[in-house]
Amino acid sequence: MQWDDGGAVDGLVEFRTGDGAVVAVEAVEERSGSRLVSRGDGTVQATRTFEGALDGVRSAAESALRVFRDGSLKPDGVEIEFGVKLSAETGAFIAKGTAEGHLVVRLTWSPAGPETSPAS
């Protein structure tokens, strides 16, 4: 498959959502040695629903949030950012952004409000 500008693309994977909508994503190359059969346009039908493909990533995000919220730091806000790749067979997985991986965590604290003096 090629984009209009001539750049090559491996193909697309189509995921269905629970309500029947189709979500098409750029395919990642599978390293398992097996190859899925695609339609003539290079599109492959995923074996899972979109929500099912994201289950593992959601669990990873929930675990990471629990680690940072329940620790001694007690931030007012936790923001976790990571890239996700989708595969027709594997589903979703956290993508590496560098040789080591990609995970950005931001913890925020709000300044304490002004102290009120006790009424006498």
Side-chain angles (χ1 to χ4, degrees):
M1 175 180 242
Q2 292 208 341
W3 293 112
D4 290 338
D5 65 3
V9 176
D10 287 335
L12 296 176
V13 176
E14 285 185 351
F15 290 88
R16 292 228 177 251
T17 64
D19 61 2
V22 175
V23 178
V25 298
E26 184 178 354
V28 296
E29 185 178 323
E30 296 282 348
R31 302 273 186 219
S32 65
S34 64
R35 249 185 114 87
L36 295 173
V37 177
S38 64
R39 298 189 316 225
D41 64 358
T43 302
V44 173
Q45 296 298 313
T47 57
R48 301 176 175 192
T49 65
F50 187 66
E51 294 88 349
L54 292 172
D55 278 343
V57 174
R58 182 184 61 221
S59 294
E62 288 170 348
S63 294
L65 283 172
R66 213 173 11 260
V67 166
F68 292 106
R69 285 184 178 153
D70 296 344
S72 60
L73 296 174
K74 304 289 186 215
D76 294 323
V78 178
E79 188 178 314
I80 297 176
E81 174 187 317
F82 49 85
V84 174
K85 287 189 178 183
L86 292 161
S87 160
E89 291 181 315
T90 310
F93 52 94
I94 298 173
K96 65 180 181 179
T98 65
E100 297 299 316
H102 176 76
L103 179 68
V104 177
V105 178
R106 289 182 186 87
L107 306 176
T108 58
W109 291 266
S110 300
E115 293 290 324
T116 57
S117 58
S120 13

